[in-house]
Amino acid sequence: MNTPTKLAAARFSLVEKRPYFAAALWSIQFVSSPGLGTIGIDQWWRVYYDPAKIEMWTHAELVGLLYHEIGHVLRNHAGRAKSMGVGPLNNRAWNMCADAEQNLAILTEKFTLPDGGGIVPATLGQPAGLLTEEYYSNLPKKTINSPGG
């Protein structure tokens, strides 16, 4: 199955499992980004993906990843980061905290994510059930202010 077909199948599966996300899932645009090494979404609802990585992931993992990516825009992580004063220096730390918040929810709902679920609260040494802002505020300052951190 080719990459666009795999992405379409994942979108259909997620709409079937979570019909209340249908409008959001039909609003995203897929953008092929060879060499990216992952999949990601921007605040303008564009999902960037590396075709080579898409081919490596199972259907179940793609459904989970699509759920993860749409969660970033539905939870307004970009706007919330801005309100917290998160800038380019500490954007990676913010994203890790946002991932921890939503990956735990996705895994609790019995969806599949690659690599055992990615970043979860325990990865950050933090308890489950907090918001991104709380995880971020609890990070050691050296983590937040480190290059790429």
Side-chain angles (χ1 to χ4, degrees):
M1 187 179 313
N2 65 34
T3 300
T5 303
K6 285 183 81 168
L7 289 168
R11 181 171 15 200
F12 275 109
S13 289
L14 189 52
V15 166
E16 182 178 61
K17 293 176 187 208
R18 297 295 181 268
Y20 42 85
F21 288 159
L25 288 163
W26 296 124
S27 296
I28 61 174
Q29 295 179 5
F30 290 110
V31 179
S32 178
S33 301
L36 182 63
T38 192
I39 187 170
I41 196 165
D42 66 18
Q43 63 186 347
W44 297 282
W45 300 66
R46 293 178 295 218
V47 174
Y48 300 90
Y49 66 90
D50 185 335
K53 289 298 282 188
I54 298 298
E55 295 307 314
M56 293 173 59
W57 291 319
T58 67
H59 176 75
E61 289 172 332
L62 280 174
V63 171
L65 285 166
L66 196 52
Y67 192 175
H68 172 94
E69 296 307 332
I70 202 75
H72 279 300
V73 291
L74 292 176
R75 293 173 188 236
N76 189 27
H77 284 144
R80 289 164 59 191
K82 188 175 181 179
S83 72
M84 290 283 293
V86 175
L89 179 64
N90 43 20
N91 190 48
R92 180 157 160 48
W94 173 266
N95 192 58
M96 289 172 52
C97 294
D99 286 353
E101 176 190 10
Q102 64 189 26
N103 285 348
L104 182 63
I106 291 168
L107 294 169
T108 300
E109 292 182 49
K110 305 294 184 220
F111 282 84
T112 303
L113 292 170
D115 304 322
I119 296 171
V120 293
T123 309
L124 304 176
Q126 298 198 42
L130 302 180
L131 296 173
T132 300
E133 290 84 351
E134 294 171 298
Y135 290 128
Y136 185 77
S137 294
N138 292 341
L139 287 177
K141 295 299 176 214
K142 67 177 185 172
T143 302
I144 292 173
N145 295 320
S146 68

